């Protein structure tokens, strides 16, 4: 969830359950890019209200729908995953 009081912004170093570090950049209230760093290699669950694309090292990452608005993808220890909204491509 992006804060409505801040239509633009950047946060870095957020810690997420499962051993992840997250950086987010948004503009006009919409996600521009997110980076998820995997510390433990656990599957990553993301809740999203828009279609997204996940890449690692510039290569597409397979995602699975696991609920309404929730996707999951496998991660490897030490890897960075980039999340982009389809609307920004």
């Amino acid at each position: 969830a992006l804060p409505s009081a801040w239509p633009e912004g950047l946060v870095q170093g957020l810690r997420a359950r499962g051993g992840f570090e997250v950086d987010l950049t948004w503009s006009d209230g919409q996600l521009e890019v997110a980076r998820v760093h995997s510390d433990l290699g656990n599957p990553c669950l993301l809740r999203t209200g828009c279609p997204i694309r996940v890449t690692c090292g510039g290569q597409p990452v397979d995602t699975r729908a696991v609920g309404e608005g929730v996707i999951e993808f496998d991660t490897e220890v030490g890897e960075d995953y980039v999340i982009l909204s389809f609307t920004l491509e």
Side-chain angles (χ1 to χ4, degrees):
L2 299 174
S4 61
W6 301 334
E8 303 182 353
L10 162 73
V11 293
Q12 295 178 310
L14 297 176
R15 301 300 298 176
R17 287 184 199 163
F20 300 102
E21 183 176 318
V22 180
D23 300 337
L24 299 169
T25 303
W26 67 94
S27 180
D28 295 325
Q30 300 295 316
L31 176 69
E32 284 187 358
V33 65
R35 182 195 63 87
V36 176
H37 178 81
S38 178
D39 290 329
L40 303 176
N42 289 327
C44 182
L45 286 169
L46 295 176
R47 182 175 308 277
T48 178
C50 64
I52 61 170
R53 180 174 63 114
V54 180
T55 62
C56 180
Q59 298 300 311
V61 173
D62 291 332
T63 62
R64 305 173 286 286
V66 294
E68 188 170 333
V70 180
I71 63 139
E72 177 181 56
F73 59 93
D74 294 326
T75 72
E76 294 184 25
V77 173
E79 292 292 336
D80 288 322
Y81 297 85
V82 176
I83 293 93
L84 294 171
S85 167
F86 280 168
T87 59
L88 293 177
E89 293 185 31

